[in-house]
Amino acid sequence: MNFRIGLDLDTILKMHPLIFNNAFPLESCKKKERETELLSVGFYSGDELAGYCVVIADSRKGILRPWVGGVLPSFRNQGYFTGFYMYLTEYAEKNGYRYVDANTDNYKPAMLRMLIKLGFDIVGVGETAYGDGCKIKFRYTVHAPVKLRISITDKCNLNCFFCHHEGIEACCGNEVSIPDMERLLIQAKKRNAAEITITGGEPFARPDIIDYILQYCSTWGKPPFIKVITNGILVKEKQMENISRYKGKLRFHVSLHALDAKTAECIYGKTYDVSRVENTLRLLGKYQIPFRINCTVLKGLNDNAGQMRDLIAYGVNHHANAVHFMELLVTKQQIELQGYYTDYEQINNTLKEALSEYVVEKEEDTAKRHTYNIADHQNGRIAVSAYRLSCRAGCQNCSQENDITIGSDFRCYPCYLMADKTCGNALVSLNEAVSERERFLLQQDRQYASAHLYWGE
């Protein structure tokens, strides 16, 4: 099905009696047309007309309001009005409207459920001459897209000594429930969450929550881009098969800091079997899920060109889309971590040496990364980056680009460097948490990160 604006009035006049068994309200239409703009939307199955709706477009108030319309009998019960309202909310977002209004009768439960599922709020009740005389008024509020980063568990099967726990103060043992996750996702849809990053702890300690998020978001008109952050050890094939059914864009970020067992044990704090990660990468390939490898560069452990070269080759051989070599996040107070810090320029210089055996087709340099797009004749192309963490790129990058972090306690955490600071409870009100985060970030000194980070000797 598809929807197009511009259906002519003559076609509507002929179609309306076939849908409603009465004449189109022409005089009322002409009156409305004198007062405001009308959009005539045709519902199509291929090129065949299936229905229509006339929409009142009040640009002064920023409101789109469906007025009259329906679907021909042979096309009913096929989801046309669900598709139409999804189309209309997208049109509103693209064309600067703030709201989409809708009315339906109390005796139409399918319509009521549909509007609630699509993110409309009940804003009032009125009277009507039909059914039980009760009309329910709905409104969809158009928000700018946001990116959410949701920690679904504090638990992790590894014990990386440098882990910053997503900027959350401490592992507090919270267990996320499916009903609470549903409450958050309902709000996320209304808040126009375009991206959702699933993180932890280790998310695959809670595969049930991962499955629920993907299943729920698959029902959205525009499923968000979902990223899953994992160390790749706990993933099972059945889980990956379920994940591969997600209807939106999907990507995995696999944390892999060392390939040899001795170095890995120093980093992860536990005996580490890289073959289990290799199995996850194989599954990602089998189910055609894009992924990148993330490596935090630690001085004296995994910072030489040979180790970087090996990890790049590993990524190429396992069909990774990208390999990122990332700066360590360490503050002036974290004395125990300062000896492991390698600055961005040194990472980039070592990476250039590691890439000497490859053909670099293109380089891209931004505030956050220097990327080398390399060619491999067997496996295509792969992007290899020296990655500057957001805190080191400047606080303005956080407020402009970074995800909104929500902990497993559903609190909003605005800053990796202020792990004890929260900005509201997203479960109670995601809108309020997002607004409080924005206010908090605007009040901070733009040089806060520069003053508190460790920058090396």
Side-chain angles (χ1 to χ4, degrees), residues 160-417:
C160 302
F161 69 88
F162 61 87
C163 181
H164 58 67
H165 302 289
E166 296 291 326
I168 296 170
E169 184 172 31
C171 294
C172 47
N174 292 300
E175 284 296 326
V176 172
S177 70
I178 286 177
D180 281 347
M181 184 55 64
E182 181 181 36
R183 285 178 62 193
L184 179 63
L185 292 175
I186 289 170
Q187 295 183 75
K189 185 182 187 310
K190 292 180 180 180
R191 195 57 182 75
N192 197 10
E195 293 185 15
I196 296 177
T197 298
I198 303 172
T199 184
E202 167 50 45
F204 279 93
R206 291 299 308 274
D208 57 325
I209 299 296
I210 296 175
D211 285 349
Y212 184 79
I213 293 172
L214 293 170
Q215 290 169 13
Y216 190 93
C217 291
S218 284
T219 67
W220 296 12
K222 291 190 301 179
F225 176 19
I226 288 186
K227 305 173 188 176
V228 182
I229 313 297
T230 177
N231 58 43
I233 294 175
L234 302 179
V235 183
K236 303 293 191 298
E237 179 158 8
K238 185 62 178 177
Q239 297 165 357
M240 195 69 80
E241 183 182 355
N242 291 337
I243 288 168
S244 70
R245 298 191 181 102
Y246 180 59
K247 293 184 178 180
K249 186 179 176 183
L250 178 68
R251 188 172 74 205
F252 269 55
H253 293 188
V254 181
S255 299
L256 181 56
H257 309 298
L259 294 173
D260 67 281
K262 184 178 179 181
T263 304
E265 188 169 346
C266 291
I267 293 173
Y268 296 118
K270 293 185 178 181
T271 302
Y272 183 79
D273 183 1
V274 74
S275 67
R276 297 181 69 175
V277 180
E278 192 164 338
N279 182 60
T280 294
L281 303 189
R282 179 187 65 80
L283 292 173
L284 287 166
K286 177 178 178 179
Y287 292 104
Q288 300 183 317
I289 300 172
F291 72 94
R292 84 180 194 203
I293 293 172
N294 288 340
C295 173
T296 299
V297 178
L298 304 163
K299 183 178 289 186
L301 289 175
N302 63 358
D303 64 327
N304 67 63
Q307 289 167 306
M308 287 188 181
R309 188 179 297 115
D310 289 345
L311 192 57
I312 294 167
Y314 189 84
V316 169
N317 291 335
H318 289 86
H319 310 289
N321 299 91
V323 179
H324 281 192
F325 294 93
M326 309 169 73
E327 275 188 301
L328 174 67
L329 179 61
V330 53
T331 68
K332 291 178 179 178
Q333 286 72 41
Q334 293 174 306
I335 305 297
E336 73 283 1
L337 293 182
Q338 292 176 5
Y340 295 101
Y341 175 67
T342 302
D343 68 59
Y344 171 75
E345 296 301 331
Q346 182 59 53
I347 293 172
N348 193 34
N349 290 335
T350 307
L351 182 55
K352 288 180 183 178
E353 183 182 346
L355 287 168
S356 60
E357 297 178 359
Y358 291 90
V359 176
V360 176
E361 292 192 328
K362 182 181 178 183
E363 292 187 38
E364 300 170 85
D365 193 13
T366 69
K368 292 181 69 171
R369 65 176 68 89
H370 197 121
T371 299
Y372 304 87
N373 293 283
I374 64 174
D376 178 82
H377 295 299
Q378 284 188 322
N379 299 311
R381 291 171 175 79
I382 183 171
V384 181
S385 299
Y387 193 92
R388 179 188 281 121
L389 289 177
S390 296
C391 293
R392 297 190 181 279
C395 293
Q396 70 278 4
N397 284 279
C398 181
S399 58
Q400 294 169 3
E401 300 179 18
N402 271 20
D403 302 350
I404 297 163
T405 298
I406 299 170
S408 60
D409 57 358
F410 292 103
R411 306 293 298 181
C412 179
Y413 289 81
C415 178
Y416 284 154
L417 302 182

Side-chain angles (χ1 to χ4, degrees), residues 42-59:
F43 304 178
Y44 294 89
S45 175
D47 291 327
E48 187 177 2
L49 190 61
Y52 84 98
C53 188
V54 177
V55 179
I56 299 169
D58 189 337
S59 56

